[in-house]
């Protein structure tokens, strides 16, 4: 089974594991019929690599926990802290502000001064990488909006501006047959006219007497 190599995050393989690894690489470069035994060997090697990677992650977690404890107990633990910090940096640890402050306080030690310069270099490199990454993301997401010149925006608000912009302008002359004006709204009296009273009946004609 491959095992983590020290605290540097590497991995050490045995002779049998190297044989299987070479066979797997050869199959990847030059595909050919694979026997059942080769498949089982590759699967076992993959499982071993996963286990070794998990073990390496646990070792790094313990190392960083120890580093935090030694840093909190400074300056009495300066020797152990500097040693653990050096091992953590070799394992890929990114120093933080607490580490820089602790190293500044231990600047009188040559080892601390060396580690301080090393941590400053790593921090500056990390900051530059983050800024470049953000700039590239902003560049990919940047959308250039077309801008209309100020003169053209004012032109649309002037008579004839639409014609100058490529649209037909309205004809100022009145049409030949103007539309009839809308009918006025009828009044209630026109809609519901008052009822007229019936006329009284005419009086019957009177007979004339003959003398």
């Amino acid at each position: 089974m491959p095992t983590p190599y020290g605290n540097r995050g590497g991995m050490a393989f045995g002779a049998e594991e190297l044989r299987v690894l070479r066979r797997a690489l050869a199959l990847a470069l030059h595909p050919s019929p694979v026997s059942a035994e080769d498949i089982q060997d590759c699967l076992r090697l993959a499982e071993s690599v996963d286990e070794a990677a998990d073990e390496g992650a646990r070792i790094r977690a313990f190392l960083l926990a120890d580093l935090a404890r030694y840093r909190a107990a400074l300056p009495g633990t300066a020797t152990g802290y500097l040693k653990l910090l050096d091992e953590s940096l070799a394992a890929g640890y990114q120093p933080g502000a607490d580490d820089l402050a602790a190293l500044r306080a231990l600047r009188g030690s040559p080892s601390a001064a060396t580690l301080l310069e090393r941590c400053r270099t790593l921090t500056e490199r990390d900051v530059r990488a983050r800024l470049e990454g953000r700039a590239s993301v902003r560049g990919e997401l940047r959308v250039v909006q077309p801008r209309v010149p100020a003169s053209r925006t004012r032109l649309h608000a002037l008579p004839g501006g639409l014609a100058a912009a490529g649209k037909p302008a309205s004809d100022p002359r009145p049409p030949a047959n103007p539309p009839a004006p809308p009918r006025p709204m009828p009044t209630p009296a026109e809609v519901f006219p008052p009822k007229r009273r019936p006329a009284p009946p005419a009086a019957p004609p009177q007979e004339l007497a003959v003398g």
Side-chain angles (χ1 to χ4, degrees), residues 40-169:
Q40 292 299 324
D41 290 341
C42 291
L43 291 177
R44 283 193 294 268
L45 179 61
E47 293 177 357
S48 299
V49 169
D50 291 340
E51 293 177 3
D54 293 340
E55 181 65 20
R58 286 192 291 269
I59 292 175
R60 286 191 296 272
F62 283 124
L63 177 63
L64 296 182
D66 286 340
L67 179 66
R69 286 193 291 269
Y70 274 78
R71 184 175 57 235
L74 286 174
T77 56
T79 303
Y81 169 72
L82 295 177
K83 180 180 179 180
L84 287 174
L85 180 59
D86 182 65
E87 294 180 359
S88 301
L89 295 177
Y93 171 69
Q94 179 62 38
D98 294 340
D99 296 306
L100 295 176
L103 291 174
R104 292 190 190 97
L106 301 173
R107 191 177 300 176
S109 168
S111 300
T114 302
L115 284 175
L116 178 59
E117 292 300 322
R118 184 178 175 186
C119 290
R120 282 176 176 173
T121 302
L122 293 175
T123 302
E124 292 174 0
R125 188 182 305 169
D126 181 67
V127 171
R128 284 196 300 268
R130 292 184 182 182
L131 293 177
E132 292 175 359
R134 293 177 183 176
S136 62
V137 170
R138 287 197 298 268
E140 293 174 359
L141 299 180
R142 186 182 299 124
V143 178
V144 179
Q145 297 290 344
R147 295 184 179 181
V148 180
S151 59
R152 183 169 298 180
T153 57
R154 290 194 295 268
L155 188 63
H156 286 286
L158 298 175
L162 294 178
K167 298 182 180 180

Side-chain angles (χ1 to χ4, degrees), residues 185-201:
M185 183 69 66
T187 61
E190 293 177 347
V191 178
F192 305 101
K195 295 182 180 181
R196 297 182 179 180
R197 294 181 180 179

Side-chain angles (χ1 to χ4, degrees), residues 14-25:
E16 183 63 20
E17 294 163 347
L18 289 176
R19 182 192 66 80
V20 176
L21 183 59
R22 283 195 297 267
R23 176 61 176 159
L25 293 176

